[in-house]
Amino acid sequence: MDNLLCDELIQEIFQKLPSPSSSAVSLVSRRWLRLYRTSKSALSLRLYNLSVSSLSSLLSHYPFLSSLSILSADSSAMPAATPSAEILSEIRRFCTNLKALRFLAGPVSLSSLVSLSSACTHLASLSIYIYRPLNFQWVVNFPGLKSLSASVISGEGFEIELNSGDWEWESAEVGAELGIQSLCLSGLRAGDWGVGWLWRSCKNLRQLQLRGCETVGDGGSFSSFVECLPGLCEVELRTCRSIADGVLMKLAENCRNLTSLLVYDGGSREGLLQFLSRQQSNLENLDLRLPLDLDNEHLIAIATNLQGLSSLRLQSCCLVTGDGLKAIATALGSRLEELALINCDVVERESGLLATMGQNLKQLKSLDLSYNEMLLDKDFISIIISCNSIKELKLRGCKWLTGAAIFAMWKNCKDLETIDIVQCPKIHANSVEVYAMNFPKLRQLKVEDDKISDIVRNLASRRFVDIVV
């Protein structure tokens, strides 16, 4: 049979196999190993004590890679610049068809990036660590780049970069608009210059992520930053307390196309309230994790001003009460399709709250009540009875829910496709077998391995249900 199948047909078969099976076929014969490698378009490597020569040999066997991810074995230990340069040299040599590169095995120098651009001319997505001081002018050498993620660190390359003669370009005019549509910057600190050029050049930006940033660059000035805002649709601010208020105000003033906003661990109550009150975009998705900065005033502002909201995710909202959540359900119930109340003690603190909310949330398709450890069956069942169109349900870490909750789901939620009941110790294996596996549309079940019997596994296999343990 092996002799009857041509190389192209075997490669096509390999591409359709799930990952665990794909790694096993390479052991059949040398021919299958060679064909398996040439059929691979994506590869992920975690470096331990791999020599450059070994990496060169490895990459030479994968001539058609379009996506490559290289990570350090120890993320806390940042390798030196020289190994990074040598690794990138091998990538330039063997991976000229790359469209996506995620290189997190160490910071890269400007010269390495410029050299990379000359070989990988099709690169559309790039994730890297870079040194201070910042210089983003190398981006113009990647004309096809659509997505850029850069984490800024200090290191030995500081003096080399500072004296390289490339620092004077910051005051120059932008030569051409960049094609970047998605941008993620991490670790910007006060005093970081060199970002203003990037803001002024990204006229086509649609997605922006700022992570652990103390500034938007250029001495804290927002003058260049606002130039990339008009076309933004999605914004994420993670642990950016010192700039969150300023960014939100600039979004409210300059961004009319914003549809998705995430703010985690940073900001102020007043700044967020002003943003919500002045919001003029058609915001559809809002995700907030602000334990000490979110209260009922914000929920009332959401209910009043964000009538187009279809997804609301709240995590660790310690200061809100049932009145704020009831206002949300009443105002947005006809449109809200996703609701997440993760580790929100008001769910446990106010009995009957979920029942009242459920009466207005008839369009809900996704409900996430994860890590509400004291959530009881009666409160959970009260919302499930009303919200019977749910397709995705996450109950991870709800330690007091029992098999009665699974029975209520089975009885009322016939459209359920995804269930997460990991870390729910009072939901036993018999409930999983009798009820959880008998939802007519179930496609994915997340549960501990010791709650899955051979009978359940066989049933899941026949019904094409993916069990994630």
Side-chain angles (χ1 to χ4, degrees), residues 115-163:
S115 298
L116 182 70
S117 67
S118 64
C120 301
T121 57
H122 305 293
L123 209 60
S125 177
L126 180 62
S127 297
I128 52 172
Y129 289 117
I130 58 176
Y131 279 127
R132 289 187 172 87
L134 303 182
N135 183 336
F136 285 99
Q137 194 177 27
W138 54 267
V139 180
V140 299
N141 295 306
F142 293 92
L145 200 63
K146 302 297 182 184
S147 175
L148 173 63
S149 177
S151 297
V152 184
I153 63 171
S154 298
E156 296 177 358
F158 182 87
E159 291 298 329
I160 297 174
E161 302 296 353
L162 186 62
N163 297 324

Side-chain angles (χ1 to χ4, degrees), residues 50 139 154 163 179 205-206 257 275 323 330 354 365 372 376 382 389 393 398 406 419 436 438 448-449:
L50 187 66
V139 180
S154 298
N163 297 324
L205 207 58
R206 299 293 179 267
N257 300 315
F275 169 79
D323 291 338
T330 301
L354 291 181
K365 299 294 187 294
N372 291 296
L376 301 177
S382 67
S389 298
L393 187 56
C398 295
I406 302 297
I419 305 174
N438 285 287
E448 287 88 350
D449 187 56

Side-chain angles (χ1 to χ4, degrees), residues 10 45 153 175 469:
I10 293 180
L45 303 175
I153 63 171
V469 296

Side-chain angles (χ1 to χ4, degrees), residues 430-461:
N430 61 332
S431 296
V432 176
E433 182 174 340
V434 176
Y435 300 117
M437 284 307 303
N438 285 287
F439 289 93
K441 298 183 180 180
L442 188 65
R443 289 295 171 262
Q444 185 180 79
L445 175 63
K446 297 182 179 180
V447 66
E448 287 88 350
D449 187 56
D450 59 4
K451 295 182 182 180
I452 302 296
S453 65
D454 291 338
I455 295 176
V456 172
R457 292 185 188 280
N458 292 333
L459 178 60
S461 178

Side-chain angles (χ1 to χ4, degrees), residues 100-115:
L101 174 60
R102 184 167 174 249
F103 185 83
L104 302 179
V108 298
S109 64
L110 292 177
S111 58
S112 294
L113 288 168
V114 173
S115 298

Side-chain angles (χ1 to χ4, degrees), residues 299-300 302-304 307 312 322-336 339 353 356-362:
L299 299 189
I300 299 299
I302 292 172
T304 303
Q307 296 295 316
L312 176 64
D323 291 338
L325 291 175
K326 290 174 187 176
I328 291 284
T330 301
L332 307 178
S334 61
R335 182 175 176 85
L336 206 63
L339 176 65
L353 171 62
T356 303
M357 294 181 65
Q359 294 173 7
N360 293 289
L361 300 173
K362 302 298 184 181

